[in-house]
Each structure stands twice: as C-alpha cells, then as structure tokens.
Amino acid sequence: MSDFKFTIDQNSNILKFQQLVDAIMNSISQNELKQGDMLPSVNQIMKECQLSRDTVFKAYAELKKRGAVESVPNRGYFVTKKIIKVFLFLDTFKAYKEVLYHSFLRALPKNISVDLHFHHYNIGVFDKIITESVGKYSKYIVMNFDHPKVPTIIKKIPKEQLLIIDWNINTTTKQSVVYQNFGEAVFKCFRNNLKAIKKYEEFIFYYPSFTYHPKEVVDHFKHFCTTFKIKHKVIFENDEFTIKPGSLYFLVSDRTLANFLDQCAENGYEPGNEVGVISYNETPMKKYVKNGITVISTDFELMGQKAAEFVSNGELMRFEVPTTLKIRPSI
C-alpha cells in the first residue's frame, strides 16, 4: 500500500472526482507513486476524504481509462506505468489552434498527460500561470508573444524542458523552438502566386488594431507590393474597411473575414470575381466557405507533431514549419 494522501479543497471550482484524478496523476508524474504501487482502497479514500463511493469510483474509472492504473479483482488498484505530465500554454483557442492541439495529442505516447492553459496575451496571467507551474511538469510547450517581460518569465523554466511554439520571438539559440515565419515566407508565397494577385487593380491589407498578429507581416506585404509595382494600401480601422470591386483583400483575422463576406452578400459581389480575398491561417471550414477561401497558412498539423516529438525525445529542436498559399476560388 502506498503512502498517498489526498485532501479535498472544498473551495475549489474543480469537481471532487477531478481533484482526486489530478492528485494521483501528479503523484505518478513526480514519481511519488511508482509503477506497481497499490492505491488506497475506495473505502479508505471515502473515509479519509469524506467522498461518496460514486465519486471515488468515477475517479478510479477515469484513471483506468487513461491507462494510469489497473484494477485486480479482490486486491485493488495499482499504478501501471509512469505518467509524464506536459504543460501546454496557448494564446487563445481558435479553430487552427484546435488543429494543432489534436495533432499534438495524437502524436504523443499513451503515458503522457497534457494540461492545457491559455494566456490571452495577458502578461499578468502569463507570469502567474508559468510561475505556479514550474517544477510540476516534465515538459513545457509555450506559445509566447511580443512583450518585454516574456524573456524573464520563461527563464523560470529549465531550458531543456521548454519548447517555444508558433512565434520565434523572445528566444535564444539555446532554447528549442518550432515556429512559423511571418515575414520572408509571406513574401515568397505572394511572389510565387504573382499572376493571381495581379488580376486585381489594388491589393489591400486590413491589419486591424485589435489583432496580435506579428507586425513584421505588414513590412513584408509592403515590400512585396513595392518590388512588383502593385498598387496597395494598408488599413487599420474598421471604418476604412469598405470593400470595392477590383480589389484583393489580405485579412489576418477571421472576424474581418466575416465582415468581408457580409459586405459581399450585401453588395452582390462574388469572391473571386468582383473582389478577391486571402485569409491568414487555415481552418477546417475555409475550404468549404463560398466554394473555398484562399489561405496563407503554416502547417499546424506538423507543428503539433514536432511539439510531440520534442516531448518524446527532449532534444534541442529549432524547426521552421513551412508556410504555403493555398489557392481557392476566392481569388
């Protein structure tokens, strides 16, 4: 019998059965509970923690489902294998992040548990969650952002345990990173599809004031248009965003894409005919909307797979995920 002890936090918003699951998973991850250790009996947990039988059974059933424990008739519950806990810290949970997340989970071995958190570009939240997580996980997958305090905060995580994903900013050559290129890659995608872009009289980039999309893409958009003598404009505010025939629009926000499609419907414009649109970041639905929305996007499936590879082998990784332009009827 193990010496595992568990205390219910009556003030927590986390369900009691989930608190028990998390506590056991954490003990296995920290090697406090080892393979072959016997867990306290259902009756013991009920008595010590004042939990119902159904609550304890539900927790143990979840642990069995995850492959962390097994039950032996007339003997009890035993730890089956070591569990590796991974900290996954994303900015927000949008459709393309869901692709990354599920790709990451599918590529992980069965004995790995993932805790998912979000910072929403709030530096206070970013600092608090990372500070509270240090020492509790085997690997840390962090989507950082452009803020002067970020480098100091992520230094709290041992560099051999840390992988930065998506944006190669505030990193050092000694840190692992799997990232997309928001600058030169965008220029190359446009250059490789110059003929399709030049069908339009003007190329307009709507970079809304509310976006956190890297600003370097604005510079490379301007560089592309100047290099190939394309009439262009960058707009920043919604009151400037009135679509006009003969123009091609480059949009980095799905909110502005919805606005674009609303204006098309109101004016009777067909994307790919009177107006064109290129949207940033592939999502599962964009290939079906209006017969297909052209997207410029990195491969989020591959990004998730590479993150899982880092978790599995722990070797220093510096990998640029390719960015491509997928031409569809919207241009």
Side-chain angles (χ1 to χ4, degrees):
M1 179 74 69
S2 73
D3 294 327
F4 174 78
K5 297 295 181 183
F6 172 64
T7 303
I8 283 288
D9 182 356
Q10 301 290 350
N11 297 318
S12 174
N13 292 325
I14 301 173
L15 296 175
K16 292 177 181 179
F17 96 91
Q18 188 63 53
Q19 288 186 48
L20 179 54
V21 169
D22 292 345
I24 292 175
M25 291 290 284
N26 187 61
S27 291
I28 296 173
S29 174
Q30 299 298 320
N31 216 33
E32 297 166 354
L33 284 172
K34 301 178 177 62
Q35 186 171 351
D37 281 353
M38 183 178 180
L39 296 179
S41 68
V42 172
N43 288 337
Q44 182 180 342
I45 292 286
M46 288 172 55
K47 182 179 179 180
E48 291 179 354
C49 304
Q50 297 183 322
L51 294 175
S52 70
R53 183 175 296 274
D54 285 348
T55 297
V56 182
F57 269 126
K58 185 176 181 180
Y60 278 13
E62 176 63 23
L63 291 163
K64 286 179 63 178
K65 180 181 176 183
R66 297 188 188 187
V69 306
E70 63 180 354
S71 59
V72 178
N74 302 317
R75 291 192 61 198
Y77 293 86
F78 295 83
V79 177
T80 57
K81 55 190 174 183
K82 178 172 174 58
I83 299 296
I84 298 172
K85 286 188 70 177
V86 174
F87 175 85
L88 179 61
F89 206 12
L90 303 182
D91 49 7
T92 57
F93 201 63
K94 296 181 179 178
Y96 57 92
K97 304 290 173 57
E98 187 174 3
V99 172
L100 184 159
Y101 176 64
H102 288 294
S103 171
F104 178 60
L105 292 185
R106 285 195 302 270
L108 288 174
K110 297 294 184 183
N111 67 324
I112 293 180
S113 170
V114 178
D115 286 350
L116 176 61
H117 302 267
F118 301 96
H119 57 72
H120 301 283
Y121 301 97
N122 184 311
I123 194 64
V125 171
F126 188 83
D127 189 5
K128 182 176 186 293
I129 291 179
I130 283 186
T131 300
E132 293 177 349
S133 75
V134 172
K136 297 180 180 179
Y137 297 88
S138 300
K139 294 289 188 296
Y140 296 78
I141 314 299
V142 177
M143 188 173 286
N144 67 2
F145 59 105
D146 189 8
H147 192 285
K149 292 184 179 180
V150 164
T152 300
I153 295 170
I154 60 177
K155 282 182 181 177
K156 297 177 183 180
I157 302 171
K159 63 179 181 297
E160 67 275 7
Q161 296 179 330
L162 173 66
L163 174 70
I164 301 297
I165 58 170
D166 194 42
W167 194 355
N168 187 13
I169 191 170
N170 298 320
T171 64
T172 71
T173 56
K174 295 181 179 179
Q175 290 172 322
S176 292
V177 57
V178 173
Y179 63 99
Q180 58 174 309
N181 187 321
F182 293 97
E184 188 63 28
V186 173
F187 181 95
K188 289 179 179 177
C189 285
F190 288 159
R191 182 191 63 197
N192 294 341
N193 294 274
L194 186 59
K195 184 177 179 181
I197 291 171
K198 280 201 164 185
K199 291 191 321 183
Y200 295 88
E201 298 169 11
E202 187 174 17
F203 198 5
I204 300 174
F205 183 8
Y206 181 14
Y207 184 87
S209 56
F210 58 77
T211 189
Y212 288 96
H213 197 89
K215 294 178 181 177
E216 63 187 289
V217 72
V218 176
D219 294 332
H220 284 79
F221 169 82
K222 292 178 178 177
H223 177 44
F224 164 77
C225 292
T226 302
T227 300
F228 295 101
K229 297 179 172 56
I230 295 171
K231 183 182 178 183
H232 64 283
K233 180 166 59 175
V234 179
I235 59 177
F236 301 94
E237 301 300 332
N238 189 59
D239 56 10
E240 301 178 88
F241 186 45
T242 301
I243 64 174
K244 53 187 179 181
S247 297
L248 172 63
Y249 292 85
F250 179 33
L251 307 176
V252 295
S253 163
D254 285 351
R255 193 190 313 178
T256 59
L257 175 62
N259 187 336
F260 171 87
L261 294 173
D262 284 341
Q263 290 191 51
C264 284
E266 292 167 3
N267 292 283
Y269 300 151
E270 186 65 28
N273 291 325
E274 293 87 355
V275 292
V277 65
I278 299 173
S279 176
Y280 216 106
N281 291 322
E282 176 72 297
T283 67
M285 292 302 298
K286 286 181 182 176
K287 61 185 175 183
Y288 301 112
V289 174
K290 287 290 184 181
N291 298 316
I293 300 295
T294 296
V295 294
I296 183 169
S297 181
T298 196
D299 186 338
F300 288 103
E301 282 270 355
L302 180 57
M303 187 177 291
Q305 292 165 11
K306 297 300 289 186
E309 182 182 323
F310 171 81
V311 171
S312 297
N313 63 37
E315 297 176 359
L316 179 67
M317 176 182 292
R318 298 190 67 81
F319 182 83
E320 180 181 326
V321 183
T323 295
T324 57
L325 182 67
K326 298 179 182 180
I327 298 292
R328 293 179 180 141
S330 72
I331 64 168

